[in-house]
């Protein structure tokens, strides 16, 4: 609070003249810069994790390519094949990403309630956990289904001939 700062400095013998509007502008600018930095870092880390997850799901799809090709040749619908992959993605995300997300959220929450809380610019509450959970599952399902979606654009015969079964 700029007014309290001026009063404190004057009571301790200092000559202080701080414009409240200038101080508030400074605080707001620092907050915006901090939010922008955190947002950029978060996007970089999430993007890297999604690229890694894309390749994990691609390797899973390649290992099951024969099963996918046979199912498509027998007339199994694309949505049913995608459903089995969604179940696998949800299991992988729950075991790995979601548990890490909850653990780190707890650490940030615990730090923000200590004297080191001024260094943590993240707010952890029920709303942010809910939005984070939706983002974790939503983005991983979308990215995890990309390799399969690209493969399923081919006809069953193209899948079989492309991957030499």
């Amino acid at each position: 609070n700029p007014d309290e700062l001026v009063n404190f400095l004057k009571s301790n013998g200092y000559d202080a003249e701080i414009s409240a509007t200038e101080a508030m502008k400074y605080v707001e600018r620092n907050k915006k810069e901090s939010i922008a930095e955190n947002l950029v870092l978060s996007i970089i880390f999430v993007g890297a994790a999604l690229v890694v997850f894309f390749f994990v799901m691609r390797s899973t799809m390649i290992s099951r390519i024969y099963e996918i090709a046979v199912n498509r040749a027998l007339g199994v619908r694309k949505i049913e094949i995608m459903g089995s992959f969604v179940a696998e993605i949800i299991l992988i995300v729950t075991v790995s990403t979601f548990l890490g997300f909850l653990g780190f959220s707890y650490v940030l929450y615990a730090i923000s309630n200590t004297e080191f809380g001024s260094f943590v610019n993240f707010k952890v509450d029920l709303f942010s956990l809910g939005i984070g959970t939706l983002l974790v599952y939503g983005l991983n399902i979308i990215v995890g289904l990309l390799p399969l979606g690209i493969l399923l654009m081919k006809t069953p015969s193209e899948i079989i001939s492309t991957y030499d079964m």
Side-chain angles (χ1 to χ4, degrees):
N1 185 346
D3 295 328
E4 288 180 16
L5 177 62
V6 169
N7 292 335
F8 175 76
L9 291 174
K10 284 183 179 181
S11 67
N12 287 324
Y14 294 101
D15 186 26
E17 289 294 325
I18 298 176
S19 167
T21 57
E22 288 299 317
M24 292 306 287
K25 285 180 186 177
Y26 179 76
V27 168
E28 287 300 318
R29 188 175 343 114
N30 282 346
K31 280 184 185 179
K32 288 178 183 177
E33 288 174 2
S34 176
I35 289 171
E37 290 172 3
N38 289 337
L39 187 61
V40 168
L41 281 175
S42 297
I43 289 172
I44 290 170
F45 287 137
V46 168
L50 290 175
V51 167
V52 169
F53 192 68
F54 172 84
F55 286 112
V56 166
M57 290 310 298
R58 181 169 166 71
S59 68
T60 300
M61 182 202 68
I62 296 294
S63 70
R64 294 174 53 189
I65 197 76
Y66 180 75
E67 172 191 342
I68 294 168
V70 168
N71 282 334
R72 286 294 294 138
L74 292 174
V76 175
R77 296 182 319 182
K78 294 176 186 180
I79 194 77
E80 293 171 356
I81 295 172
M82 285 185 153
S84 69
F85 270 80
V86 167
E88 183 176 343
I89 290 168
I90 289 173
L91 181 66
I92 290 171
V93 169
T94 301
V95 170
S96 61
T97 310
F98 184 65
L99 291 178
F101 170 72
L102 284 181
F104 197 69
S105 295
Y106 177 74
V107 168
L108 286 175
Y109 178 75
I111 289 173
S112 67
N113 290 330
T114 65
E115 59 272 359
F116 298 111
S118 61
F119 298 112
V120 178
N121 294 325
F122 293 101
K123 182 179 179 184
V124 180
D125 58 3
L126 197 56
F127 179 74
S128 63
L129 282 176
I131 295 295
T133 300
L134 289 175
L135 284 173
V136 163
Y137 280 102
L139 290 174
N140 280 303
I141 287 172
I142 290 169
V143 170
L145 286 178
L146 277 176
L148 183 64
I150 293 168
L151 178 72
L152 291 178
M153 287 193 289
K154 298 178 180 182
T155 63
S157 60
E158 288 174 333
I159 295 172
I160 291 170
S161 66
T162 302
Y163 292 95
D164 279 335
M165 286 174 224

